[in-house]
Amino acid sequence: MSPKITTELLKQLRQVMKSPRYVQEPVQAYIVPSGDAHQSEYIAPCDCRRAFISGFDGSAGTAIVTEQHAAMWTDGRYFLQAANQMDNNWTLMKMGLKDTPTQEDWLVSVLPEGSKVGVDPFIIPADQWKRMSKVLRSAGHDLVPVKENLIDTIWTDRPQRPCKPLIMLDLSYTGVSWRDKIVALRSKMAERKVLWFVVTALDEVAWLFNLRGSDVEYNPVFFAYAVIGMNTIRLFIDGDRMMDPAVREHLQLDSTLEPEFKIQVMPYGSILTELQAVSAGLSPKEKVWLSDKASYALTEAIPKAYRYLTPYTPICIAKAVKNALETEGMRRAHIKDAVALCELFNWLEKEVPKGTVTEIIAADKAEEFRSQQKDFVELSFATISSTGPNGAIIHYKPVPETNRTLSVNEIYLLDSGAQYKDGTTDVTRTMHFGTPSAYEKECFTYVLKGHIAVSAAIFPNGTKGHLLDSFARSALWDCGLDYLHGTGHGVGSFLNVHEGPCGISYKTFADEPLEAGMIVSDEPGYYEDGSFGIRIENVVLVIPAETKYNFKNRGSLTFEPLTLVPIQTKMIDVSLLTQKECNWVNDYHQKCREVIGAELERQGRREALRWLIRETEPLIKVQ
Amino acid sequence: MSPKITTELLKQLRQVMKSPRYVQEPVQAYIVPSGDAHQSEYIAPCDCRRAFISGFDGSAGTAIVTEQHAAMWTDGRYFLQAANQMDNNWTLMKMGLKDTPTQEDWLVSVLPEGSKVGVDPFIIPADQWKRMSKVLRSAGHDLVPVKENLIDTIWTDRPQRPCKPLIMLDLSYTGVSWRDKIVALRSKMAERKVLWFVVTALDEVAWLFNLRGSDVEYNPVFFAYAVIGMNTIRLFIDGDRMMDPAVREHLQLDSTLEPEFKIQVMPYGSILTELQAVSAGLSPKEKVWLSDKASYALTEAIPKAYRYLTPYTPICIAKAVKNALETEGMRRAHIKDAVALCELFNWLEKEVPKGTVTEIIAADKAEEFRSQQKDFVELSFATISSTGPNGAIIHYKPVPETNRTLSVNEIYLLDSGAQYKDGTTDVTRTMHFGTPSAYEKECFTYVLKGHIAVSAAIFPNGTKGHLLDSFARSALWDCGLDYLHGTGHGVGSFLNVHEGPCGISYKTFADEPLEAGMIVSDEPGYYEDGSFGIRIENVVLVIPAETKYNFKNRGSLTFEPLTLVPIQTKMIDVSLLTQKECNWVNDYHQKCREVIGAELERQGRREALRWLIRETEPLIKVQ
């Protein structure tokens, strides 16, 4: 993969940074954050401004361009990818390493006195604005909102904002109607004494109205905002999507409803002026609730005295706890997903030795098998299909320039998932189609021990996920190995594959406590740059646990794997497992055999069934 | 223990809260924080205002008195003690439990509209002021500084502020002269481009000048502030302590020194006006560095634009990493301390069955044995000598009303430590002098497994201590047991037994990464209210570890126990230990036998030596 040549683009950007046509005063630095106006992780092509200016298209990263420098901050998942995709106009700032400066500190160190730092106020989250602005101000600089996005001014062939049809989810999928969700939200608002709630995150809008979209690849969301009052509902959405009779019926737009459930549909672009209008009508005790990660532009539209900001919104928290129907849907989706992967791995086992399967072919084949399953919608993220050294690029996506052929001599890592109408999947398996080396097996086994340590962990009700992160690392740490990413993320229910407010990571502290019904991933790994990558990932459901003493009735929790795909026993050095770990693997494989075996049988997939049975033979630990 | 009757005191306090003599406007609530003007954890009697008004004298807690209510916030260590010491004028707010409101939220819920909340600006840390003030303001209330401490106005027999002689530590103890410490500090100041540094924490002043005091019981500190400029040193200290020729020589007060090392001695009370004078002379780029936990009064003395606040000061961080001489001193102190405890436990074993040993007698005896050791100065905290149900009161201190007799039927928990001129100790052992029940042994063994999991943990350089906290809980969690306190705290070198910036706790996230030379405690526990308490505590030194792959040269760390006191094998259910854990205990006991055995031998303490040898017999695990 050759880096994007950005010399000319940077020159153009530096010109508009001084052009009175776009900026009131010249800005000496311009920040290009990763997200869109909804602080989405996955974004539409029209919002890929950071990738456009730098070439680096990983899911996380912030670019800052000054008159002299261009620098990119990203985390451990993307160090290799970013280094490969950017030309030498760019400096890579490796977040999480001790000597890497923060964006603010770096700006202070390179800017001339009294500089202005520009940013699009719709793209930068308010909490980040506040932090940066404070540091810059104390060093004599100014963070300033630049109304027109400067990247857009130089991006001649920028794509249109998508506006695709909506999908309606009925009660059999969601378990709760949008009306009941509004009622629950209003009761949370009443508890906190707020009169208005602004829904800014795309997955929160989708969840609230039991609608899905396809405006953003992989995330079944659509561009919209909502403003919920105690008696009003305003939905800001563009296009003729509201003309669809099915949508109108779903939202009861033409029914005679109680006024407090009547949805007013408004243009997407009118959110700012509407919010300003709402704010203008407020009296001192009337608050507006929004996420502290909402854009600076929307946050500023509400006078400070009326703002009620929280790190997680009540929708974010309600959405994370799946109800019985959502959980059932997730189970069904994971069974179908496992069927597809059994087919895939069986196929790979036969085809890889022929030397004809590339990473892209394998990824496409995975998608093909998934698409055969009922209620399949699309993939839930770009398939990470990586063999040998590509496996060490943590969020690798095969492209023709890097596309490697799978072989019996290299480890193959497949991290993939899909959106089904009944649930979202995300699973990683690391396989060897020949004979793994002792070192590869050793590393794989440590990762497996970490995976089991989290999956089998028992902990009291109210424990935050970040407290479990070290369990995943302990076996690796004992030998002086580690991995530079978190261990797990929340997973949506036919929604974003990454969602808050819970997860398992050493990097967060403000996560919400885990509770029964939440769904997270468990995915420790180990990466050897230039050689191979290993990761073992299941999606797991938080469930009540039975313990001898039950935490003085506080209650116990543990995890139940929803993912039911065999873990390649060939990669395991059984001598490194404890008997308990060995039993865990055998019990897990027994369950895969029973549940997925029955579905393979039902679908008449005999060959994949034989593969499953072979791959789930119990491990035997020699005492 | 009967609670303090506070009806009359609260009445008086509520009167002065409205008295124009003390407040400009009436305050509807008054906050009584735990600390003194230096945000010390252990405080002098004159500063025990929260204990005076409420009766609750644990080391952590904040009282808030409104016209109608009186409420006390404290953490899990003190739930029982606070409930016992306070009368029913008070509501106990159990911090860390899900439904307990924060102080701010509680105030908002009980105060009439537009209330004033008063607090002594010298006692409240600036970061806390900021947080509370923000929440109160957004709810229409005001946090206001009340210059005269309102508790002092009703505290008729308030003790004088102590002003005891100073102890000088020479290079053989400290390893670094105070001049070199000033030089290192100034270089940190230059790095951050600050011109002034304000030393507000008592242990930081003591460490910086290689002086110790005894103004506060258990913590060898003295009341003082310091303001360090690039060319000036100002020490704010009272009394005739600076008349002592030895102190004058130590600080070279009468030598002809380079001016930048000349110490100006000023009255303790003049810090605020001096700081205001320093601030008045500043130009925009000249910053003053102080802890964000410094008092609101001192922080406000520096105009906002000139403040440079950090959670940990460079002194705090430098102090935490012990140099070779300090480490050697800590080792010596722990050997002496172990000798004293071997004597004690040997004595207890003989005396307890007679039924004549109370908790107080045992505590006194421990102090007696310690005081026989070289360079003993005082205890490092109030001895927790607790038997049976008293053991469940986590920071229990025996007093005549609660004093219980040790017996062969109850568990005895002793958490104690001392200040020696060469180091500070803190050790907890849980013993049974008869036959423990299977349940007691089971709980003890889980706690031991947690203790070992932390002590033997291997982790990469740069790991923060809070990431190790769950290791201590895992074995307890598996059975549905937990404990409501952190697992470890930093320990000073002949300084405070609790110090920052590192520790092992689920409660902090902003701790500094562990590095070789840091010293922390490892003290998991289990408490059964009304029955018993179990805790196993060693002080451990962070040391480099040898690992197979060494984290790609990032370096590996682990812990070495400095505490070398046998862990009672009678309390261990060996069948619950893994072979590795069993080996850890045996290796640890072997080291106790060698190191402490030699010292007991040298001191001619034959009987204690025999006890040590018996108590360090290897465990045998039946396969």
Side-chain angles (χ1 to χ4, degrees), chain A residues 19-36:
Chain A
S19 158
R21 201 167 138 195
Y22 302 114
V23 289
Q24 290 189 310
E25 279 186 89
V27 297
Q28 284 69 45
Y30 188 67
I31 306 176
V32 187
S34 209
D36 58 15

Side-chain angles (χ1 to χ4, degrees), chain A residues 72-83:
Chain A
M72 175 70 66
W73 280 257
T74 190
D75 62 67
R77 295 173 300 174
Y78 292 116
F79 291 168
L80 281 178
Q81 180 180 335

Side-chain angles (χ1 to χ4, degrees), chain B residues 226-239:
Chain B
V227 176
I228 312 299
M230 294 312 274
N231 299 300
T232 53
I233 303 172
R234 290 177 203 168
L235 179 60
F236 299 80
I237 186 166
D238 269 354

Side-chain angles (χ1 to χ4, degrees), chain B residues 90-102:
Chain B
W90 290 85
T91 307
L92 178 57
M93 297 292 188
K94 297 181 173 183
M95 289 164 71
L97 298 198
K98 212 182 162 182
D99 296 329
T100 305
T102 63

